[in-house]
Amino acid sequence: MKSEDTPFEGGPMDGRVLPVLLGITGHPPKTYRIPVPDPDGGPPTVLVYRRVPRGPGKVGLTNRWKYAYAPEGAPTRRLNWPWSKPDVTKPDATPPGKRDDADG
């Protein structure tokens, strides 16, 4: 498995560089979670970092990555199915704010 030394910015890991395993595409994961054990023996605190572009690479062809601290945690993921998008071309049968006969 290939790994790449990736810098971390912000939060408790600011300024550190860790080797991060690369995926099949050659990119590190979009989010990186670091569990920090609680000194009192409670549940561990999880630090969340998001992958952001580091800047242009050599000759502008390759893009290197770094991780930025995300204090709000990982974003919630929603499945993006093409059939679940609202159809913008068809107007609603009932305009907003008006009652339909089916509503009673």
Side-chain angles (χ1 to χ4, degrees):
M1 298 232 57
K2 253 182 133 177
S3 67
E4 179 180 302
D5 289 338
T6 308
F8 286 77
E9 287 186 354
M13 299 292 291
D14 190 27
R16 296 190 185 178
V17 177
L18 296 176
V20 176
L21 291 176
L22 303 178
I24 293 173
T25 60
H27 299 291
K30 289 183 181 181
T31 57
Y32 194 82
R33 293 173 176 81
I34 304 171
V36 179
D38 188 294
D40 300 330
T45 304
V46 178
L47 303 175
V48 178
Y49 285 84
R50 281 200 198 108
R51 182 182 75 183
V52 294
R54 192 187 310 182
K58 298 177 184 176
V59 192
L61 296 176
T62 58
N63 197 3
R64 308 283 303 238
W65 302 97
K66 64 182 175 183
Y67 282 106
Y69 182 59
E72 68 278 358
T76 57
R77 290 197 54 190
R78 231 182 92 238
L79 290 176
N80 226 1
W81 300 106
W83 54 84
S84 65
K85 293 182 184 177
D87 191 2
V88 192
T89 59
K90 294 181 184 177
D92 288 337
T94 306
K98 298 209 176 186
R99 290 175 42 142
D100 191 8
D101 290 337
D103 291 338

